[in-house]
Amino acid sequence: MTYKNTLSWMFAQLPMYQNKGKDAFNAKLDGIRNLTGYLGNPQVKFKSIHVAGTNGKGSSSHMLASVLQEAGYKVGLYTSPHLKDFRERIRINGRKIKKTEVVRFFEENKGFFNENKFSFFEMTVGMAFSHFANKKVDIAIIEVGLGGRLDSTNIITPEVSLITNIGFDHTDMLGDTLAKIAFEKAGIIKNNVPVVISEYSKETAPVFIERAKKMNAEITFAEKETFSSYEVGLLGNYQQKNSKGVLATLEKLKKFPVDESHIVNGLKNVVVNTKLMGRWQQLGEHPTIICDTAHNKEGLAIVLKQIQKQQYEKLHIVLGFVKDKDVRGIMGLFPKDALYYFTRPKIARGLDENQLTTLFLEAGFHGKAYKTVNKAFKAAQKHAKKSDFIYVGGSNFVVAEVL
């Protein structure tokens, strides 16, 4: 099999959340335990940090990896989803897994995959764990895919657990209150493993405290701690909240000490070290063009607040969502004095651009529908003056198409 054929086989035959949504959510751990058992339980052969949360878990994972790389450790990094290339999900010291290694993994295990009908996510997690074990990483940063308690990554026993932020996302699967969602995220808290909560909330704190007490896990709310201020190489003021959680996690990571210079350089060089994309990423200037993968109410609120702090004459917004997004629930976050370019990401779950346009126009916004992200983006670039600002977002998949 070629790399291209391997990916086609994966994407065509297996349920994948980013294409099918709720129907692909496999809420149990039996499958991943079966797979990792077959693979020789690679997850017990390396140390790890487990990172969950509604927003900020990807950025925090990359920050942790970058600092630990600066300290000289061999660091695995598992994140999802990918933006351009499947291999972005599995990295060691910033280097993506090789195409030949992806192909080899599937060729060696395809028969077992076919017999057991594993999900896309289960197989990808199995591949990541095998890769990190085979390459003998010192430590791996493992980002939760969805939720926590029943997520396929939740078979590891990490050195530290980090939960970044709790907000309303995937409520059809995780619950319709912050407390219910926090319960799912709190499922990554393990026996006698310290847990760091990046942000304190009266609604969710009791859930985390109760779970930590039950598991005899030391709990730290990073927002209430005092840390030195560091420059973060990821743009956007909201990264300061994420960095506090990262610093608290590093403090608890007793077996992997880091010094001040590692923290300074690690936080400053996140993008260079780990190749993170899509977090307040600048694509151009004159006009300023920014894309960001924020896609739920809390994440979009932070990004739109950041946009308000920018200097520009006119704001242009290229916007698209997936079908299960509560558009009416987040519409009020967006400014009405911007010019909108409504579009649809090129996936089965993409929300129809005409339907999206109608919702916004009926609410008093101004803009037009465009069949593709590329056409919408080109229209925004054509209409924007040098002193204007273009923001591209609403979905990971919209951002992926402009990168």
Side-chain angles (χ1 to χ4, degrees):
M1 294 175 74
T2 64
Y3 175 68
K4 186 177 180 181
N5 288 342
T6 300
L7 291 190
S8 295
W9 179 80
M10 287 171 58
F11 294 154
Q13 296 191 31
L14 302 164
M16 183 172 59
Y17 179 73
Q18 70 183 46
N19 279 337
K20 296 188 177 181
K22 186 180 179 181
D23 291 343
F25 183 54
N26 188 8
K28 57 183 182 295
L29 299 179
D30 298 350
I32 189 63
R33 288 196 176 111
N34 182 21
L35 176 55
T36 51
Y38 171 79
L39 296 171
N41 288 313
Q43 75 278 8
V44 304
K45 298 174 182 176
F46 57 86
K47 305 294 186 185
S48 61
I49 299 172
H50 207 186
V51 185
T54 305
N55 298 294
K57 63 180 185 289
S59 298
S60 298
S61 295
H62 281 262
M63 287 185 208
L64 284 166
S66 182
V67 172
L68 290 164
Q69 282 174 228
E70 289 284 351
Y73 300 111
K74 188 174 185 179
V75 185
L77 177 60
Y78 174 78
T79 57
S80 62
H82 61 272
L83 289 177
K84 302 296 286 184
D85 182 351
F86 167 81
R87 298 178 302 135
E88 294 166 27
R89 295 168 180 256
I90 305 170
R91 300 178 184 270
I92 295 176
N93 284 4
R95 293 176 180 270
K96 291 180 286 192
I97 185 173
K98 292 179 180 178
K99 291 180 180 180
T100 53
E101 290 168 324
V102 174
V103 173
R104 187 186 312 122
F105 180 81
F106 279 93
E107 283 183 337
E108 290 176 353
N109 302 297
K110 188 176 177 183
F112 190 70
F113 293 159
N114 281 329
E115 285 173 22
N116 291 273
K117 303 299 181 188
F118 295 110
S119 71
F120 170 89
F121 197 74
E122 285 166 341
M123 291 191 301
T124 307
V125 170
M127 183 195 301
F129 289 175
S130 291
H131 186 60
F132 297 152
N134 292 338
K135 297 297 182 181
K136 295 180 168 58
V137 299
D138 296 314
I139 188 167
I141 316 303
I142 307 296
E143 180 193 1
V144 166
L146 181 60
R149 183 173 64 95
L150 297 172
D151 185 76
S152 292
T153 62
N154 200 29
I155 58 168
I156 58 175
T157 301
E159 302 298 296
V160 187
S161 302
L162 169 63
I163 301 173
T164 57
N165 158 287
I166 302 300
F168 289 104
D169 203 10
H170 308 302
T171 52
D172 53 340
M173 288 165 280
L174 303 181
D176 56 3
T177 68
L178 291 180
K180 287 179 182 176
I181 295 170
F183 174 79
E184 294 298 326
K185 310 289 184 185
I188 72 165
I189 300 174
K190 303 293 195 305
N191 274 311
N192 300 306
V193 175
V195 59
V196 172
I197 314 297
S198 292
E199 298 180 30
Y200 181 87
S201 159
K202 287 182 180 178
E203 194 168 349
T204 60
V207 178
F208 295 129
I209 291 168
E210 182 182 349
R211 172 69 179 177
K213 186 177 180 181
K214 183 178 178 182
M215 304 306 288
N216 195 34
E218 177 193 0
I219 186 168
T220 302
F221 289 93
E223 193 172 46
K224 292 179 170 289
E225 301 293 309
T226 302
F227 296 101
S228 299
S229 183
Y230 297 97
E231 177 189 348
V232 178
L234 300 177
L235 298 176
N237 294 342
Y238 57 86
Q239 295 296 355
Q240 291 301 324
K241 283 188 176 182
N242 293 331
S243 66
K244 290 194 81 169
V246 167
L247 293 170
T249 301
L250 290 168
E251 277 191 354
K252 304 299 177 187
L253 200 62
K254 306 299 185 187
K255 295 177 185 175
F256 295 87
V258 298
D259 64 27
E260 184 82 2
S261 67
H262 303 143
I263 294 172
V264 169
N265 293 325
L267 293 180
K268 187 168 64 177
N269 299 321
V270 179
V271 175
V272 173
N273 287 343
T274 70
K275 312 299 186 291
L276 177 62
M277 299 187 296
R279 304 311 197 280
W280 195 261
Q281 183 174 343
Q282 185 161 351
L283 304 178
E285 52 184 17
H286 312 305
T288 300
I289 305 173
I290 294 289
C291 67
D292 195 285
T293 54
H295 57 276
N296 54 51
K297 189 171 185 178
E298 288 75 17
L300 285 166
I302 291 169
V303 170
L304 290 165
K305 190 178 290 185
Q306 184 77 31
I307 290 173
Q308 290 173 9
K309 296 177 181 177
Q310 310 306 306
Q311 297 291 319
Y312 55 80
E313 191 171 336
K314 182 73 177 177
L315 175 61
H316 303 257
I317 296 181
V318 178
L319 194 64
F321 296 104
V322 292
K323 289 176 183 174
D324 53 6
K325 192 60 58 185
D326 177 16
V327 176
R328 294 184 192 278
I330 58 179
M331 197 183 294
L333 298 172
F334 288 89
K336 288 196 172 177
D337 57 353
L339 185 58
Y340 287 83
Y341 305 77
F342 301 106
T343 188
R344 172 182 179 168
K346 194 166 54 178
I347 61 166
R349 286 173 58 224
L351 176 63
D352 180 79
E353 69 279 6
N354 294 308
Q355 185 181 341
L356 177 62
T357 304
T358 299
L359 284 171
F360 268 80
L361 295 190
E362 286 178 350
F365 292 82
H366 304 281
K368 284 176 58 178
Y370 295 84
K371 269 195 168 183
T372 67
V373 172
N374 187 44
K375 286 180 179 178
F377 186 43
K378 283 186 175 177
Q381 289 175 297
K382 180 182 176 182
H383 293 137
K385 295 188 292 187
K386 287 185 177 181
S387 56
D388 289 352
F389 188 101
I390 300 174
Y391 162 63
V392 183
S395 164
N396 284 304
F397 311 110
V398 170
V399 171
E401 291 186 49
V402 301
L403 290 176

